[in-house]
Amino acid sequence: MRHPFTASVGAMAMLAVCVLPPSADAAGFAITEQNATGLGDAYAGATTGNGEASALYFNPAAMSDLSGTRLSTGVIYIAPTFTLSGGQSSVAGIGNITHGNEGGNAGESAWVPNLYLTHAVDARTHVGFGLSVPYGLATQYRDGWLGRYHALTSELQVINLNPAVSYRVNPRLSLGFGLDAQYASANLTSAVDSGSLCYGAAAQGQVPGGLATCNAYGLTPGNPQVDGLARVKGHDWALGWNLGLVFDLSADTRLGFAYRAAVDHTLKGQVTYGNIPALLAGNPQLADTGATAALDLPATASLGLSQRLDRRWTLSGDLTWTQWSRFSSLQVTKDNGQPDLLTTESWRDTLRYAVGLTFRQDARLTWRGGLAFDQTPVPDAQHRTARLPGSDRTWISLGMGYRASKQLSWDVGYTYVLFRNVRIDNTTEGAYQNTLTGQYRGNVNMLGAQANYRF
């Protein structure tokens, strides 16, 4: 007879493969939400362990706390809002060509699953496996919006398979190590300003009849009726690793440290163009071709401390460094030798600060709360892009845990993330540059639920 929770392992694995690409709610395009337990305290206690299998992602050494075989599985619903106001679009040398709406809510809601399984081999050694989505991005603007030459659809998803092992060195110290097998996929689209391309070609004598011909075909800069569509798609597998330790300074004080190594992806796929006017169909820059793009994911390091104040109250804090400076540019190299598609990012390293409080009401019910501040890696308005208009973020989190029986417990968490209002003044790179200006504002609502089972 199959145990009722055994079937959920396969189901969650399928869900992770089919999940919609989530909008990044942490800095950059990272997804901090890897379990519902931590969602309730802003992940302030993630590095020191949470007593369940879901602790594996944040620190593999925390598996040493777990007896027998444990399963944690859950899902988090992420509902972001990104809106632009006061937007304008212009082409270098031509001027303001503001046509269209301001894009509406560019944030795409998504369900983000997770699954973790751990097993105590003996009193000192534990093994485990995690399935999660640590990075993701999904933005979608309305058709015909004024920033369409910067972005229409942006989808990025990284699925992480994480086998791990921990070893209890002595009663106070445990070490952990894991591998990260990652599958990354991307789908990026933007409109092609056929009018500006025609004007540029005419200025170089490449269009018979010059500007008069462009005008006769309606190929004027910023004319949405003659826009083309550019699409970049690619995918890749890559391997990384992670390690961690937990050290009990005393019976009430625990220190946790975790490091996840950088992972280098080389996405391979295609660049394709559609709806190109006949007059521009022979332009080699608009030819479909194979392509590659580097996706350099950052290293992260986290230091956490948990202090039990009495038998009911526990205070936790966490500091996480993320090496976003590795993401210096988004560069798509075409196989046919035509110029690269380049976006200079110039991101910087960031810090995330979190503090949380846990109240254990009784043997069944636990309450959680937390606050966090998450720095943006985007250095200024010139490097803020419509694909990911990042800003500093403040987290407010609440959650609870309920033990239904000796084997089964549930965790739920809710977080509201408030973005700092920021300016964008970004210019596309290439022969025909378009500048988008305006102010972005946004927020994210996140709700998660998780089941934990002890076999």
Side-chain angles (χ1 to χ4, degrees):
M1 175 179 172
R2 289 201 311 170
H3 196 280
F5 275 82
T6 305
S8 70
V9 177
M12 288 300 295
M14 289 299 296
L15 181 58
V17 174
C18 299
V19 68
L20 291 174
S23 291
D25 54 89
F29 47 86
I31 301 175
T32 304
E33 298 71 43
Q34 301 303 319
N35 59 49
T37 311
L39 189 65
D41 68 357
Y43 297 91
T47 313
T48 54
N50 60 20
E52 301 295 348
S54 63
L56 182 157
Y57 178 83
F58 292 98
N59 191 341
M63 290 191 294
S64 293
D65 295 333
L66 309 178
S67 60
T69 301
R70 307 285 188 96
L71 171 70
S72 291
T73 183
V75 66
I76 296 175
Y77 179 68
I78 302 178
T81 298
F82 298 103
T83 57
L84 177 72
S85 60
Q88 287 192 327
S89 175
S90 61
V91 173
I94 297 175
N96 185 28
I97 57 165
T98 303
H99 299 294
N101 59 77
E102 291 186 324
N105 176 20
E108 290 282 283
S109 299
W111 297 90
V112 181
N114 58 75
L115 182 146
Y116 306 94
L117 184 66
T118 66
H119 176 70
V121 178
D122 55 39
R124 288 178 177 263
T125 307
H126 289 67
V127 293
F129 177 80
L131 175 69
S132 60
V133 185
Y135 296 95
L137 164 67
T139 53
Q140 174 71 60
Y141 292 92
R142 291 177 182 170
D143 290 341
W145 86 290
L146 57 86
R148 58 192 177 274
Y149 305 128
H150 292 247
L152 285 173
T153 298
S154 304
E155 296 175 347
L156 170 67
Q157 182 186 71
V158 177
I159 297 174
N160 193 63
L161 308 179
N162 184 188
V165 61
S166 71
Y167 183 75
R168 184 177 293 280
V169 178
N170 58 49
R172 299 176 67 183
L173 176 64
S174 294
L175 304 177
F177 178 82
L179 294 176
D180 294 305
Q182 294 185 348
Y183 175 75
S185 61
N187 176 35
L188 309 176
T189 70
S190 58
V192 176
D193 186 358
S194 300
S196 290
L197 286 174
C198 191
Y199 268 44
Q204 298 174 26
Q206 298 173 358
V207 177
L211 293 180
T213 301
C214 294
N215 293 333
Y217 280 87
L219 293 170
T220 55
N223 181 0
Q225 302 302 318
V226 294
D227 282 348
L229 179 69
R231 182 184 301 275
V232 178
K233 296 185 71 173
H235 58 89
D236 180 55
W237 280 94
L239 191 65
W241 55 272
N242 63 92
L243 56 80
L245 67 84
V246 291
F247 183 72
D248 293 327
L249 300 172
S250 69
D252 296 322
T253 307
R254 167 171 283 194
L255 181 71
F257 173 78
Y259 177 83
R260 181 164 254 108
V263 179
D264 295 328
H265 286 274
T266 301
L267 305 183
K268 298 180 180 180
Q270 303 82 35
V271 178
T272 59
Y273 296 90
N275 303 324
I276 302 300
L279 193 62
L280 301 175
N283 188 329
Q285 294 188 38
L286 302 178
D288 295 350
T289 181
T292 58
L295 176 63
D296 298 328
L297 297 179
T300 62
S302 297
L303 182 65
L305 183 71
S306 291
Q307 175 66 49
R308 187 162 55 196
L309 304 177
D310 57 32
R311 67 184 184 89
R312 292 191 173 186
W313 292 93
T314 300
L315 179 67
S316 299
D318 179 270
L319 175 66
T320 296
W321 165 83
T322 303
Q323 192 186 15
W324 280 120
S325 57
R326 300 187 78 244
F327 190 61
S328 59
S329 66
L330 177 60
Q331 186 168 357
V332 179
T333 302
K334 296 183 177 182
D335 293 349
N336 64 1
Q338 291 299 311
D340 295 349
L341 305 178
L342 176 65
T343 302
T344 300
E345 304 287 352
S346 297
W347 281 11
R348 59 192 177 187
D349 296 347
T350 62
L351 291 174
R352 182 182 187 274
Y353 312 85
V355 61
L357 197 60
T358 300
F359 176 70
R360 200 170 300 277
Q361 181 173 319
D362 53 41
R364 289 184 178 270
L365 190 60
T366 300
W367 299 94
R368 304 180 181 96
L371 299 171
F373 177 74
D374 206 358
Q375 294 178 337
T376 178
V378 179
D380 50 46
Q382 288 70 37
H383 291 91
R384 182 165 290 111
T385 69
R387 295 202 183 278
L388 186 59
S391 69
D392 293 340
R393 308 174 184 205
T394 300
W395 290 45
I396 303 171
S397 302
L398 294 171
M400 64 167 288
Y402 180 74
R403 179 156 297 285
S405 67
K406 183 178 293 185
Q407 289 79 31
L408 177 64
S409 67
W410 297 90
D411 288 299
V412 294
Y414 169 78
T415 292
Y416 176 75
V417 182
L418 178 64
F419 298 175
R420 182 173 62 87
N421 295 346
V422 289
R423 296 283 302 171
I424 185 172
D425 186 6
N426 181 251
T427 300
T428 59
E429 298 175 62
Y432 310 107
Q433 299 177 341
N434 181 283
T435 298
L436 175 65
T437 60
Q439 179 173 272
Y440 272 100
R441 63 187 64 199
N443 62 74
V444 181
N445 286 279
M446 296 180 288
L447 181 64
Q450 176 181 310
N452 308 295
Y453 196 82
R454 304 179 180 184
F455 292 91

